[in-house]
């Protein structure tokens, strides 16, 4: 069974690990690239690296990003030199950015660099950037427009987000590898990532919505998972962002954002009372425990998602 997961940060990585336990090389994870940034001349791909490190079993679960057993000597030395390295690149993490940036500088496509990292880290699933052209998320706050990581890390997600834009999205497009994987998929899963700034850029990318429609027309289920549980995001600003943008911060609010692309919607058991209202949107909806608190839970939730994808009517 071939599955494509559309994923962002932590929520996407946990589900990817659970799916990989069942699917290995039959899983393709399409990652958001709009959080990417350049620091000290290095290409940093947070959503890609969070998924790749998790699939490689190298992730730091407590921090939720970067590598386990990390040290910070380079960042500390930069601070001694008078810099303010507010976006922290660990000493081991820097090796990834150096490895990647050298290849990009030599003219390699981001997709080929990602596939090279997959091989170098011996990761079974494919982890594919959604596009090879640059796309960057900015958020408009009461202090004006901020680049995503400036908002997310430097400002600790404190400002209220009034508007979001994906700079460069018009001249970007889903890569051939992404479209090929979607064309060969038996199921497509939208991860419980932030629907605005993690899944949003992927769905806004030219080619993706068409690819999802083609898949649905082939009878391929598009199964979306709510990252909002009991009105809250388990991690990150999705709940406040939804509210600030005028959406309902609830499973129903997220379902409305996916109503045109998903055939099936999964809410956590605590939101079972929202099932009828979401089904009224025309989406097959089920409720079960979706908390991926450890490896066993990740594999269990992923197994439940796959069973649902295989037997949508079940
Ligand atoms: N998040 C933080 O809150 N502080 C950091 O210093 C930080 C550094 C960092 C370095 C590499 C990387 O891949 C991720 C990093 N993140 C950091 C997390 C990152 O902001 C988020 O993973 C995504 O951008 C949101 O999905």
């Amino acid at each position: 069974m071939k599955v494509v997961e559309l994923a962002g940060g932590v929520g996407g990585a946990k589900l990817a690990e659970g799916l990989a336990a069942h699917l290995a090389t039959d899983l393709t994870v399409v990652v958001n690239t709009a959080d990417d940034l350049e620091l000290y001349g290095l290409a940093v791909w947070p959503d890609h690296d969070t998924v790749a490190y998790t699939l490689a079993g190298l992730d730091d679960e407590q921090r939720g990003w970067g590598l386990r057993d990390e040290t910070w000597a380079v960042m500390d030395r930069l601070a001694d030199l008078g810099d303010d390295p507010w976006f922290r690149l660990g000493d081991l993490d820097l090796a990834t950015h150096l490895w990647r940036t050298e290849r990009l500088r030599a003219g390699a496509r981001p997709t080929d660099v990602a596939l090279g990292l997959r091989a170098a880290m011996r990761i079974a699933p494919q982890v594919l950037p959604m596009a090879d052209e640059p796309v960057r998320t900015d958020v408009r706050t009461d202090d004006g427009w901020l680049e995503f990581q400036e908002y997310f890390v430097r400002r600790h997600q404190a400002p209220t987000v009034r508007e979001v834009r994906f700079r460069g999205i018009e001249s970007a497009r889903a890569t051939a590898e992404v479209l090929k994987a979607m064309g060969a998929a038996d199921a497509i899963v939208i991860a419980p990532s932030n629907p605005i700034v993690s899944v949003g850029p992927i769905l806004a990318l030219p080619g993706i919505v068409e690819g999802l429609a083609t898949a649905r027309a082939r009878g391929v289920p598009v199964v979306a998972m709510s990252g909002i549980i009991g009105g809250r995001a388990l991690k990150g600003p999705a709940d406040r962002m939804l509210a600030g943008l005028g959406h309902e911060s609830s499973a129903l609010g997220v379902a409305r954002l996916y109503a045109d692309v998903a055939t099936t919607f999964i809410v956590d058991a605590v939101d079972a009372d929202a099932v009828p209202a979401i089904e009224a949107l025309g989406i097959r909806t089920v409720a079960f425990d979706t908390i991926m608190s450890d490896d066993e839970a990740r594999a269990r939730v992923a197994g439940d998602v796959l069973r649902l994808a295989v037997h949508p009517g079940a």
Side-chain angles (χ1 to χ4, degrees), residues 8-10 32 35-37 39 44-50 53 63-66 72 85-90 93 97 100 148-149 152-154 156-157 197-198:
V10 180
N32 167 43
D35 289 0
D36 295 357
L37 67 163
L39 271 181
V44 179
W45 299 352
D47 279 354
H48 169 276
D49 291 355
T50 299
Y53 288 164
R63 216 181 310 120
W65 50 269
W72 307 94
W86 51 271
F87 194 88
R88 316 268 301 153
L89 299 179
D93 193 35
H97 309 316
R100 170 163 53 218
F148 181 75
Q149 296 297 351
F152 191 85
V153 175
R154 194 171 206 172
H156 309 289
Q157 308 143 36
V197 290
S198 295

Side-chain angles (χ1 to χ4, degrees), residues 34-220:
D35 289 0
D36 295 357
L37 67 163
E38 183 161 298
L39 271 181
Y40 293 100
L42 298 175
V44 179
W45 299 352
D47 279 354
H48 169 276
D49 291 355
T50 299
V51 170
Y53 288 164
T54 301
L55 290 174
L58 299 172
D59 60 299
D60 182 295
E61 293 198 15
Q62 180 271 330
R63 216 181 310 120
W65 50 269
L67 290 165
R68 210 176 33 242
D69 306 328
E70 185 59 279
T71 53
W72 307 94
V74 173
M75 289 295 113
D76 292 345
R77 178 67 185 143
L78 283 168
D80 293 345
L81 294 171
D83 270 11
D84 166 23
W86 51 271
F87 194 88
R88 316 268 301 153
L89 299 179
D91 301 327
L92 299 176
D93 193 35
L94 277 165
T96 303
H97 309 316
L98 291 168
W99 192 99
R100 170 163 53 218
T101 304
E102 183 180 50
R103 284 153 178 81
L104 292 170
R105 286 263 172 78
R109 286 170 56 217
T111 296
D112 293 324
V113 172
L115 292 172
L117 273 170
R118 171 202 186 200
M121 291 200 275
R122 289 184 288 286
I123 294 168
Q126 282 193 108
V127 184
L128 298 177
M130 66 183 192
D132 282 330
E133 303 81 9
V135 178
R136 292 290 177 271
T137 298
D138 296 327
V139 295
R140 184 171 58 78
T141 71
D142 295 341
D143 303 338
W145 284 98
L146 299 173
E147 293 191 359
F148 181 75
Q149 296 297 351
E150 178 84 21
Y151 155 76
F152 191 85
V153 175
R154 194 171 206 172
R155 308 287 289 269
H156 309 289
Q157 308 143 36
T160 300
V161 173
R162 304 288 181 199
E163 189 182 351
V164 174
R165 72 182 173 201
F166 307 134
R167 248 181 309 120
I169 195 100
E170 304 76 21
S171 46
R173 65 195 181 290
T175 66
E177 288 81 354
V178 165
L179 295 176
K180 180 164 175 270
M182 289 172 72
D186 300 304
I188 296 173
V189 180
I190 297 178
S193 306
N194 185 317
I196 305 294
V197 290
S198 295
V199 176
I202 301 175
L203 296 183
L205 185 67
I208 295 290
V209 166
E210 297 82 347
L212 290 171
T214 304
R216 285 197 311 275
R218 288 196 292 116
V220 173

Side-chain angles (χ1 to χ4, degrees), residues 173-279:
R173 65 195 181 290
T175 66
E177 288 81 354
V178 165
L179 295 176
K180 180 164 175 270
M182 289 172 72
D186 300 304
I188 296 173
V189 180
I190 297 178
S193 306
N194 185 317
I196 305 294
V197 290
S198 295
V199 176
I202 301 175
L203 296 183
L205 185 67
I208 295 290
V209 166
E210 297 82 347
L212 290 171
T214 304
R216 285 197 311 275
R218 288 196 292 116
V220 173
V222 177
V223 182
M225 288 183 75
S226 176
I228 298 291
I229 297 177
R232 304 298 311 275
L234 290 184
K235 190 177 173 68
D239 43 16
R240 282 169 285 135
M241 227 180 235
L242 283 163
L245 293 168
H247 304 294
E248 193 180 298
S249 176
S250 66
L252 175 57
V254 176
R256 287 192 184 110
L257 295 172
Y258 296 148
D260 296 341
V261 294
T263 60
T264 315
F265 194 70
I266 298 170
V267 302
D268 187 75
V270 306
D271 291 312
D273 57 358
V275 168
I278 298 170
E279 292 219 318

